[in-house]
Each structure stands twice: as structure tokens, then as C-alpha cells.
């Protein structure tokens, strides 16, 4: 027996409006938590494993789009990807533990790409009117490149500027409610 238990928000009389939010005011959002704490509430479903394989070390990159109705687990999957990108070693250890627990040795073979930084944001609040403003605000070298963009006097950042920013820190962009 796996001894699984429901999270406390599912034990109340009413279901919360949004079960997984990236950020919450009380710092208990899915990506506010430590990777280990978030992964404690995650079971390695077929969808979770498929999502993790999209950020594996031997994959050649490219976009990943999650499509499905409300409540299908897309935000949870994106939070898993956020933690996997930012903390690949923690995620690989979590996979190893589950491999032993459920008797699926192939989970130990999933190696997450290293050296990337995740920028994860729910975009339906319209906090950022342009994608580049989100990138400048969240990228670890974003303020530097925002300055270069301002100096350029262009109405939008050039492809060359963005490529330079992503070469300085390779990035995985995760947008929820896009």
C-alpha cells in the first residue's frame, strides 16, 4: 500500500477555486514552496513523467504546450516543471525514491537538463503588458538587458538582445493561463 493522503485543502467542505497557484500572498504557492515540499504533494502519474521527460538532458529543446479543461492538472504539471528546471538534482532524487516505492526502475533513468533557470508566471492577471517586460523582471540578468533595451530607443527588444540574454542564462519560460 502506498499510504497516500489527500492534501488539507481537499479535506474541507468546499473545494478551493484554484487548487494550484504559482504564487500566493502567504508564500504557499506552488513555486513559492521548496522543491522538496512541493514534490511531497506530487505523485508520479503518467502525465507528470511525460512532462518531466520534456526537460530531460538528452532532449533538444523546443516548446511544450499543455492543453486541457479546467481542473485537469496543467498548473500542477507546470509547477513540477518549474521545480525540475530550477532544482534538477532534487527532482531526480524524488524520481529515484518513487522508482523504489512503486517498483518502476525506469524513473531512475530520467535525467533533467542542468544549467537552466525557470521563469514561471500566471499571465491572465495582465501584470505584464508585454512578454519582454516579464522576461526583464524575472530573468536573473534582466535588469542589465532592460537597460540595454532602453538605451537602444527601439519600441521592442531586438532578437539579438534577447538571444544575448538567454545565452547569459539559459531559460525555460513557463506561462500558465496563457
Amino acid at each position: 500500500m502506498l499510504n497516500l493522503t489527500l492534501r488539507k485543502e481537499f479535506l474541507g467542505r468546499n473545494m478551493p477555486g484554484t487548487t494550484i497557484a504559482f504564487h500566493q500572498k502567504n508564500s504557499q504557492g506552488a513555486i513559492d514552496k521548496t522543491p522538496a515540499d512541493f514534490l511531497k504533494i506530487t505523485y508520479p502519474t503518467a502525465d507528470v513523467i511525460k512532462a518531466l521527460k520534456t526537460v530531460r538532458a538528452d532532449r533538444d529543446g523546443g516548446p511544450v504546450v499543455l492543453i486541457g479543461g479546467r481542473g485537469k492538472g496543467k498548473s500542477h504539471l507546470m509547477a513540477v516543471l518549474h521545480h525540475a528546471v530550477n532544482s534538477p538534482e532534487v527532482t531526480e532524487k524524488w524520481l529515484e525514491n518513487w522508482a523504489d516505492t512503486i517498483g518502476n526502475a525506469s524513473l531512475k533513468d530520467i535525467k533533467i537538463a542542468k544549467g537552466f533557470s525557470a521563469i514561471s508566471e500566471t499571465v491572465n492577471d495582465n501584470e505584464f503588458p508585454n512578454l519582454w517586460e516579464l522576461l526583464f523582471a524575472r530573468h536573473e540578468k534582466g535588469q542589465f538587458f532592460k537597460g540595454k533595451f532602453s538605451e537602444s530607443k527601439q519600441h521592442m527588444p531586438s532578437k539579438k538582445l534577447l538571444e544575448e540574454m538567454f545565452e547569459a542564462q539559459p531559460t525555460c519560460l513557463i506561462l500558465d493561463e496563457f
Side-chain angles (χ1 to χ4, degrees):
M1 190 68 175
L2 293 178
N3 198 22
L4 300 175
T5 57
L6 285 173
R7 297 194 323 255
K8 66 181 179 178
E9 65 263 32
F10 290 103
L11 297 174
R13 283 182 67 169
N14 299 316
M15 274 285 284
T18 300
T19 339
I20 294 289
F22 282 172
H23 298 285
Q24 291 182 350
K25 290 179 183 169
N26 63 0
S27 296
Q28 291 300 304
I31 64 176
D32 297 325
K33 296 179 180 194
T34 68
D37 284 344
F38 183 75
L39 290 171
K40 280 182 192 174
I41 64 166
T42 302
Y43 180 82
T45 64
D47 286 340
V48 168
I49 300 309
K50 189 173 184 180
L52 286 172
K53 288 179 178 179
T54 68
V55 294
R56 70 186 187 277
D58 63 346
R59 186 171 180 267
D60 213 9
V64 175
V65 178
L66 303 176
I67 299 173
R70 181 177 163 90
K72 300 295 184 192
K74 297 177 302 297
S75 296
H76 192 100
L77 289 174
M78 286 185 249
V80 168
L81 291 173
H82 172 90
H83 288 299
V85 168
N86 284 341
S87 302
E89 294 84 4
V90 173
T91 305
E92 289 171 359
K93 182 69 176 155
W94 174 81
L95 284 165
E96 288 175 22
N97 290 338
W98 273 108
D100 295 336
T101 302
I102 62 176
N104 182 350
S106 70
L107 297 181
K108 294 180 181 182
D109 297 332
I110 300 172
K111 300 301 176 203
I112 308 298
K114 312 277 190 298
F116 288 82
S117 179
I119 296 175
S120 302
E121 193 70 36
T122 303
V123 294
N124 65 345
D125 329 355
N126 297 320
E127 183 179 340
F128 298 98
N130 298 302
L131 180 59
W132 62 81
E133 291 179 29
L134 166 64
L135 296 172
F136 291 146
R138 299 288 192 259
H139 191 277
E140 78 175 37
K141 299 188 184 300
Q143 291 309 301
F144 171 78
F145 287 97
K146 182 178 181 179
K148 287 183 79 167
F149 167 54
S150 293
E151 290 173 6
S152 76
K153 306 289 188 215
Q154 295 179 334
H155 69 284
M156 65 176 45
S158 67
K159 178 180 175 182
K160 181 181 177 193
L161 179 77
L162 294 175
E163 287 174 344
E164 187 181 337
M165 184 169 75
F166 295 131
E167 285 172 7
Q169 174 54 64
T171 303
C172 175
L173 181 62
I174 301 171
L175 301 175
D176 197 8
E177 301 293 338
F178 188 62

